[in-house]
Amino acid sequence: MSVDLNRGAFSADNCSVARTLAVVGEKWTMLVLREAFYGVRRFSEIQANLGIARNLLTDRLGTLVEHGILDRETYQEPNSRARQEYRLTPKGHDLFPALIALLQWGDTYLADPAGPAVTVEHNDCGSAVHVELRCAHGHGPLTVRDVHPVPGPGALPSGAAGSPPRRSA
């Protein structure tokens, strides 16, 4: 990869990757999102599918709701108390390519010898879906050798006098 970015000249304090991982980077969070993408909405079903402790699931769902990735909606079945279900928001839907990228990588390098446990197919034609990196002009597929990082408008100088205080991820 050709790098125009002098990485040491810029702080990682406001890194979008770090901020994203602070919200969705924990294993259980990505698995909760997987269930949501599969259409599972109810706490008890998510818990049963994942085998996750109630307190962990409550915490992960709370984080996803707090960050606007899931919405909490009330439902009530006849003769039962009101309960909550969780639905992906548009912000949550935007994480779908990231989940497919993880699935694609896992299918390539970690799948069972018999093959992947799940495949994702296009509704209209039944073909397998995949994530592909392209530039704004449509060139691609691109690899790490085809791109380079450059400082963005939010780049902070590393250790510069007067630079903003460190922010947590």
Side-chain angles (χ1 to χ4, degrees):
M1 173 167 78
S2 165
V3 178
D4 291 343
L5 179 71
N6 178 356
R7 186 62 192 97
F10 294 93
S11 170
D13 289 344
N14 63 341
C15 172
S16 293
V17 173
R19 288 179 177 173
T20 301
L21 290 175
V23 177
V24 300
E26 196 275 333
K27 166 192 160 184
W28 290 113
T29 303
M30 289 306 293
L31 294 175
V32 168
L33 286 171
R34 178 196 67 192
E35 294 302 306
F37 284 118
Y38 289 169
V40 180
R41 296 182 177 143
R42 296 183 176 176
F43 185 100
S44 60
E45 293 169 345
I46 296 168
Q47 184 185 25
N49 291 352
L50 297 180
I52 184 175
R54 290 183 64 80
N55 63 324
L56 283 175
L57 180 54
T58 298
D59 181 59
R60 298 311 176 255
L61 289 169
T63 297
L64 292 168
V65 169
E66 175 187 339
H67 287 277
I69 296 166
L70 292 177
D71 274 337
R72 187 181 285 130
E73 296 183 14
T74 302
Y75 74 93
Q76 187 167 8
E77 300 206 3
N79 302 318
S80 295
R81 67 179 174 85
R83 297 178 184 262
Q84 305 294 309
E85 65 180 19
Y86 299 87
R87 295 177 181 259
L88 289 160
T89 64
K91 189 175 178 180
H93 282 276
D94 284 347
L95 284 167
F96 187 63
L99 188 75
I100 294 299
L102 289 171
L103 177 69
Q104 188 174 310
W105 188 90
D107 288 351
T108 301
Y109 298 105
L110 302 171
D112 188 84
V118 172
T119 59
V120 180
E121 298 178 347
H122 181 223
N123 288 338
D124 290 345
C125 72
S127 293
V129 301
H130 66 277
V131 174
E132 186 173 275
L133 192 61
R134 296 189 164 278
C135 75
H137 288 284
H139 301 115
L142 302 174
T143 71
V144 68
R145 289 186 172 89
D146 300 314
V147 302
H148 63 274
V150 295
L156 300 174
S158 180
S163 57
R166 293 182 64 94
R167 293 182 260 178
S168 61

PDB file of all heavy atoms in Angstrom, residues 114-137:
ATOM      1  N   ALA A 114     -17.182 -28.752   5.817  1.00  0.00           N
ATOM      2  CA  ALA A 114     -18.338 -29.034   4.959  1.00  0.00           C
ATOM      3  C   ALA A 114     -18.825 -27.782   4.235  1.00  0.00           C
ATOM      4  O   ALA A 114     -19.606 -27.869   3.288  1.00  0.00           O
ATOM      5  CB  ALA A 114     -19.472 -29.618   5.794  1.00  0.00           C
ATOM      6  N   GLY A 115     -18.365 -26.609   4.685  1.00  0.00           N
ATOM      7  CA  GLY A 115     -18.776 -25.358   4.057  1.00  0.00           C
ATOM      8  C   GLY A 115     -19.414 -24.425   5.070  1.00  0.00           C
ATOM      9  O   GLY A 115     -19.556 -24.754   6.244  1.00  0.00           O
ATOM     10  N   PRO A 116     -19.813 -23.240   4.602  1.00  0.00           N
ATOM     11  CA  PRO A 116     -20.413 -22.252   5.502  1.00  0.00           C
ATOM     12  C   PRO A 116     -21.723 -22.754   6.104  1.00  0.00           C
ATOM     13  O   PRO A 116     -22.460 -23.523   5.482  1.00  0.00           O
ATOM     14  CB  PRO A 116     -20.683 -21.052   4.596  1.00  0.00           C
ATOM     15  CG  PRO A 116     -19.893 -21.283   3.356  1.00  0.00           C
ATOM     16  CD  PRO A 116     -19.699 -22.750   3.235  1.00  0.00           C
ATOM     17  N   ALA A 117     -22.005 -22.292   7.321  1.00  0.00           N
ATOM     18  CA  ALA A 117     -23.251 -22.655   7.992  1.00  0.00           C
ATOM     19  C   ALA A 117     -24.442 -21.922   7.387  1.00  0.00           C
ATOM     20  O   ALA A 117     -25.556 -22.437   7.379  1.00  0.00           O
ATOM     21  CB  ALA A 117     -23.157 -22.346   9.481  1.00  0.00           C
ATOM     22  N   VAL A 118     -24.203 -20.719   6.891  1.00  0.00           N
ATOM     23  CA  VAL A 118     -25.262 -19.885   6.321  1.00  0.00           C
ATOM     24  C   VAL A 118     -24.705 -19.193   5.090  1.00  0.00           C
ATOM     25  O   VAL A 118     -23.550 -18.758   5.097  1.00  0.00           O
ATOM     26  CB  VAL A 118     -25.730 -18.809   7.338  1.00  0.00           C
ATOM     27  CG1 VAL A 118     -26.682 -17.811   6.705  1.00  0.00           C
ATOM     28  CG2 VAL A 118     -26.358 -19.451   8.549  1.00  0.00           C
ATOM     29  N   THR A 119     -25.504 -19.102   4.069  1.00  0.00           N
ATOM     30  CA  THR A 119     -25.155 -18.264   2.928  1.00  0.00           C
ATOM     31  C   THR A 119     -26.245 -17.215   2.797  1.00  0.00           C
ATOM     32  O   THR A 119     -27.381 -17.427   3.215  1.00  0.00           O
ATOM     33  CB  THR A 119     -25.027 -19.065   1.617  1.00  0.00           C
ATOM     34  OG1 THR A 119     -26.251 -19.714   1.342  1.00  0.00           O
ATOM     35  CG2 THR A 119     -23.902 -20.086   1.718  1.00  0.00           C
ATOM     36  N   VAL A 120     -25.900 -16.073   2.247  1.00  0.00           N
ATOM     37  CA  VAL A 120     -26.853 -14.990   2.053  1.00  0.00           C
ATOM     38  C   VAL A 120     -27.050 -14.833   0.559  1.00  0.00           C
ATOM     39  O   VAL A 120     -26.080 -14.677  -0.192  1.00  0.00           O
ATOM     40  CB  VAL A 120     -26.347 -13.679   2.694  1.00  0.00           C
ATOM     41  CG1 VAL A 120     -27.339 -12.549   2.480  1.00  0.00           C
ATOM     42  CG2 VAL A 120     -26.102 -13.893   4.188  1.00  0.00           C
ATOM     43  N   GLU A 121     -28.317 -14.902   0.134  1.00  0.00           N
ATOM     44  CA  GLU A 121     -28.638 -14.864  -1.289  1.00  0.00           C
ATOM     45  C   GLU A 121     -29.515 -13.668  -1.631  1.00  0.00           C
ATOM     46  O   GLU A 121     -30.323 -13.227  -0.815  1.00  0.00           O
ATOM     47  CB  GLU A 121     -29.381 -16.145  -1.694  1.00  0.00           C
ATOM     48  CG  GLU A 121     -28.569 -17.403  -1.498  1.00  0.00           C
ATOM     49  CD  GLU A 121     -29.336 -18.669  -1.858  1.00  0.00           C
ATOM     50  OE1 GLU A 121     -30.578 -18.605  -2.026  1.00  0.00           O
ATOM     51  OE2 GLU A 121     -28.685 -19.726  -1.953  1.00  0.00           O
ATOM     52  N   HIS A 122     -29.361 -13.180  -2.843  1.00  0.00           N
ATOM     53  CA  HIS A 122     -30.180 -12.098  -3.382  1.00  0.00           C
ATOM     54  C   HIS A 122     -31.608 -12.608  -3.567  1.00  0.00           C
ATOM     55  O   HIS A 122     -31.824 -13.669  -4.148  1.00  0.00           O
ATOM     56  CB  HIS A 122     -29.583 -11.632  -4.708  1.00  0.00           C
ATOM     57  CG  HIS A 122     -30.306 -10.512  -5.343  1.00  0.00           C
ATOM     58  ND1 HIS A 122     -30.568 -10.477  -6.686  1.00  0.00           N
ATOM     59  CD2 HIS A 122     -30.806  -9.366  -4.833  1.00  0.00           C
ATOM     60  CE1 HIS A 122     -31.215  -9.363  -6.981  1.00  0.00           C
ATOM     61  NE2 HIS A 122     -31.368  -8.672  -5.861  1.00  0.00           N
ATOM     62  N   ASN A 123     -32.587 -11.850  -3.059  1.00  0.00           N
ATOM     63  CA  ASN A 123     -33.985 -12.271  -3.151  1.00  0.00           C
ATOM     64  C   ASN A 123     -34.447 -12.500  -4.587  1.00  0.00           C
ATOM     65  O   ASN A 123     -35.187 -13.438  -4.858  1.00  0.00           O
ATOM     66  CB  ASN A 123     -34.909 -11.237  -2.504  1.00  0.00           C
ATOM     67  CG  ASN A 123     -34.805 -11.212  -1.002  1.00  0.00           C
ATOM     68  OD1 ASN A 123     -34.385 -12.178  -0.381  1.00  0.00           O
ATOM     69  ND2 ASN A 123     -35.175 -10.092  -0.415  1.00  0.00           N
ATOM     70  N   ASP A 124     -34.043 -11.634  -5.505  1.00  0.00           N
ATOM     71  CA  ASP A 124     -34.558 -11.708  -6.874  1.00  0.00           C
ATOM     72  C   ASP A 124     -33.994 -12.854  -7.697  1.00  0.00           C
ATOM     73  O   ASP A 124     -34.718 -13.488  -8.451  1.00  0.00           O
ATOM     74  CB  ASP A 124     -34.314 -10.386  -7.611  1.00  0.00           C
ATOM     75  CG  ASP A 124     -35.176  -9.259  -7.081  1.00  0.00           C
ATOM     76  OD1 ASP A 124     -36.159  -9.538  -6.350  1.00  0.00           O
ATOM     77  OD2 ASP A 124     -34.866  -8.093  -7.377  1.00  0.00           O
ATOM     78  N   CYS A 125     -32.668 -13.124  -7.579  1.00  0.00           N
ATOM     79  CA  CYS A 125     -32.072 -14.132  -8.469  1.00  0.00           C
ATOM     80  C   CYS A 125     -31.498 -15.340  -7.745  1.00  0.00           C
ATOM     81  O   CYS A 125     -31.143 -16.321  -8.387  1.00  0.00           O
ATOM     82  CB  CYS A 125     -30.994 -13.486  -9.348  1.00  0.00           C
ATOM     83  SG  CYS A 125     -29.481 -13.039  -8.466  1.00  0.00           S
ATOM     84  N   GLY A 126     -31.388 -15.256  -6.414  1.00  0.00           N
ATOM     85  CA  GLY A 126     -30.864 -16.388  -5.660  1.00  0.00           C
ATOM     86  C   GLY A 126     -29.350 -16.500  -5.643  1.00  0.00           C
ATOM     87  O   GLY A 126     -28.816 -17.444  -5.079  1.00  0.00           O
ATOM     88  N   SER A 127     -28.637 -15.552  -6.231  1.00  0.00           N
ATOM     89  CA  SER A 127     -27.174 -15.596  -6.226  1.00  0.00           C
ATOM     90  C   SER A 127     -26.630 -15.170  -4.866  1.00  0.00           C
ATOM     91  O   SER A 127     -27.227 -14.345  -4.179  1.00  0.00           O
ATOM     92  CB  SER A 127     -26.609 -14.656  -7.295  1.00  0.00           C
ATOM     93  OG  SER A 127     -26.937 -15.122  -8.576  1.00  0.00           O
ATOM     94  N   ALA A 128     -25.471 -15.729  -4.531  1.00  0.00           N
ATOM     95  CA  ALA A 128     -24.803 -15.358  -3.286  1.00  0.00           C
ATOM     96  C   ALA A 128     -24.383 -13.893  -3.340  1.00  0.00           C
ATOM     97  O   ALA A 128     -23.987 -13.397  -4.394  1.00  0.00           O
ATOM     98  CB  ALA A 128     -23.584 -16.248  -3.060  1.00  0.00           C
ATOM     99  N   VAL A 129     -24.488 -13.213  -2.209  1.00  0.00           N
ATOM    100  CA  VAL A 129     -24.053 -11.820  -2.139  1.00  0.00           C
ATOM    101  C   VAL A 129     -22.640 -11.754  -1.584  1.00  0.00           C
ATOM    102  O   VAL A 129     -22.188 -12.671  -0.893  1.00  0.00           O
ATOM    103  CB  VAL A 129     -25.004 -10.941  -1.292  1.00  0.00           C
ATOM    104  CG1 VAL A 129     -26.406 -10.960  -1.850  1.00  0.00           C
ATOM    105  CG2 VAL A 129     -25.002 -11.376   0.159  1.00  0.00           C
ATOM    106  N   HIS A 130     -21.940 -10.666  -1.894  1.00  0.00           N
ATOM    107  CA  HIS A 130     -20.609 -10.434  -1.364  1.00  0.00           C
ATOM    108  C   HIS A 130     -20.365  -8.937  -1.279  1.00  0.00           C
ATOM    109  O   HIS A 130     -21.040  -8.150  -1.922  1.00  0.00           O
ATOM    110  CB  HIS A 130     -19.533 -11.111  -2.219  1.00  0.00           C
ATOM    111  CG  HIS A 130     -19.403 -10.527  -3.593  1.00  0.00           C
ATOM    112  ND1 HIS A 130     -20.229 -10.901  -4.628  1.00  0.00           N
ATOM    113  CD2 HIS A 130     -18.582  -9.582  -4.083  1.00  0.00           C
ATOM    114  CE1 HIS A 130     -19.900 -10.215  -5.710  1.00  0.00           C
ATOM    115  NE2 HIS A 130     -18.908  -9.399  -5.411  1.00  0.00           N
ATOM    116  N   VAL A 131     -19.406  -8.577  -0.455  1.00  0.00           N
ATOM    117  CA  VAL A 131     -19.026  -7.178  -0.293  1.00  0.00           C
ATOM    118  C   VAL A 131     -17.858  -6.924  -1.237  1.00  0.00           C
ATOM    119  O   VAL A 131     -16.944  -7.743  -1.346  1.00  0.00           O
ATOM    120  CB  VAL A 131     -18.619  -6.879   1.166  1.00  0.00           C
ATOM    121  CG1 VAL A 131     -18.078  -5.476   1.298  1.00  0.00           C
ATOM    122  CG2 VAL A 131     -19.798  -7.073   2.090  1.00  0.00           C
ATOM    123  N   GLU A 132     -17.916  -5.775  -1.902  1.00  0.00           N
ATOM    124  CA  GLU A 132     -16.865  -5.408  -2.847  1.00  0.00           C
ATOM    125  C   GLU A 132     -16.542  -3.932  -2.669  1.00  0.00           C
ATOM    126  O   GLU A 132     -17.450  -3.102  -2.646  1.00  0.00           O
ATOM    127  CB  GLU A 132     -17.359  -5.685  -4.267  1.00  0.00           C
ATOM    128  CG  GLU A 132     -16.337  -5.486  -5.336  1.00  0.00           C
ATOM    129  CD  GLU A 132     -16.868  -5.937  -6.683  1.00  0.00           C
ATOM    130  OE1 GLU A 132     -16.772  -7.152  -6.977  1.00  0.00           O
ATOM    131  OE2 GLU A 132     -17.393  -5.077  -7.415  1.00  0.00           O
ATOM    132  N   LEU A 133     -15.276  -3.610  -2.536  1.00  0.00           N
ATOM    133  CA  LEU A 133     -14.836  -2.231  -2.338  1.00  0.00           C
ATOM    134  C   LEU A 133     -14.674  -1.540  -3.685  1.00  0.00           C
ATOM    135  O   LEU A 133     -14.028  -2.061  -4.588  1.00  0.00           O
ATOM    136  CB  LEU A 133     -13.504  -2.248  -1.578  1.00  0.00           C
ATOM    137  CG  LEU A 133     -12.980  -0.947  -1.024  1.00  0.00           C
ATOM    138  CD1 LEU A 133     -13.956  -0.366  -0.002  1.00  0.00           C
ATOM    139  CD2 LEU A 133     -11.623  -1.171  -0.399  1.00  0.00           C
ATOM    140  N   ARG A 134     -15.301  -0.346  -3.811  1.00  0.00           N
ATOM    141  CA  ARG A 134     -15.217   0.461  -5.030  1.00  0.00           C
ATOM    142  C   ARG A 134     -15.001   1.908  -4.645  1.00  0.00           C
ATOM    143  O   ARG A 134     -15.414   2.347  -3.579  1.00  0.00           O
ATOM    144  CB  ARG A 134     -16.514   0.359  -5.833  1.00  0.00           C
ATOM    145  CG  ARG A 134     -16.791  -1.036  -6.344  1.00  0.00           C
ATOM    146  CD  ARG A 134     -17.975  -1.040  -7.322  1.00  0.00           C
ATOM    147  NE  ARG A 134     -17.986  -2.273  -8.059  1.00  0.00           N
ATOM    148  CZ  ARG A 134     -17.232  -2.516  -9.139  1.00  0.00           C
ATOM    149  NH1 ARG A 134     -16.449  -1.592  -9.604  1.00  0.00           N
ATOM    150  NH2 ARG A 134     -17.283  -3.677  -9.742  1.00  0.00           N
ATOM    151  N   CYS A 135     -14.400   2.674  -5.540  1.00  0.00           N
ATOM    152  CA  CYS A 135     -14.244   4.107  -5.295  1.00  0.00           C
ATOM    153  C   CYS A 135     -15.498   4.839  -5.773  1.00  0.00           C
ATOM    154  O   CYS A 135     -16.383   4.236  -6.392  1.00  0.00           O
ATOM    155  CB  CYS A 135     -13.000   4.650  -5.989  1.00  0.00           C
ATOM    156  SG  CYS A 135     -13.155   4.834  -7.780  1.00  0.00           S
ATOM    157  N   ALA A 136     -15.563   6.121  -5.509  1.00  0.00           N
ATOM    158  CA  ALA A 136     -16.730   6.931  -5.879  1.00  0.00           C
ATOM    159  C   ALA A 136     -16.949   6.989  -7.390  1.00  0.00           C
ATOM    160  O   ALA A 136     -18.055   7.275  -7.844  1.00  0.00           O
ATOM    161  CB  ALA A 136     -16.588   8.342  -5.313  1.00  0.00           C
ATOM    162  N   HIS A 137     -15.931   6.698  -8.172  1.00  0.00           N
ATOM    163  CA  HIS A 137     -16.069   6.696  -9.636  1.00  0.00           C
ATOM    164  C   HIS A 137     -16.391   5.312 -10.188  1.00  0.00           C
ATOM    165  O   HIS A 137     -16.447   5.126 -11.400  1.00  0.00           O
ATOM    166  CB  HIS A 137     -14.803   7.253 -10.298  1.00  0.00           C
ATOM    167  CG  HIS A 137     -14.663   8.734 -10.122  1.00  0.00           C
ATOM    168  ND1 HIS A 137     -15.394   9.655 -10.832  1.00  0.00           N
ATOM    169  CD2 HIS A 137     -13.884   9.447  -9.275  1.00  0.00           C
ATOM    170  CE1 HIS A 137     -15.069  10.877 -10.448  1.00  0.00           C
ATOM    171  NE2 HIS A 137     -14.155  10.774  -9.487  1.00  0.00           N
TER     172      HIS A 137
END
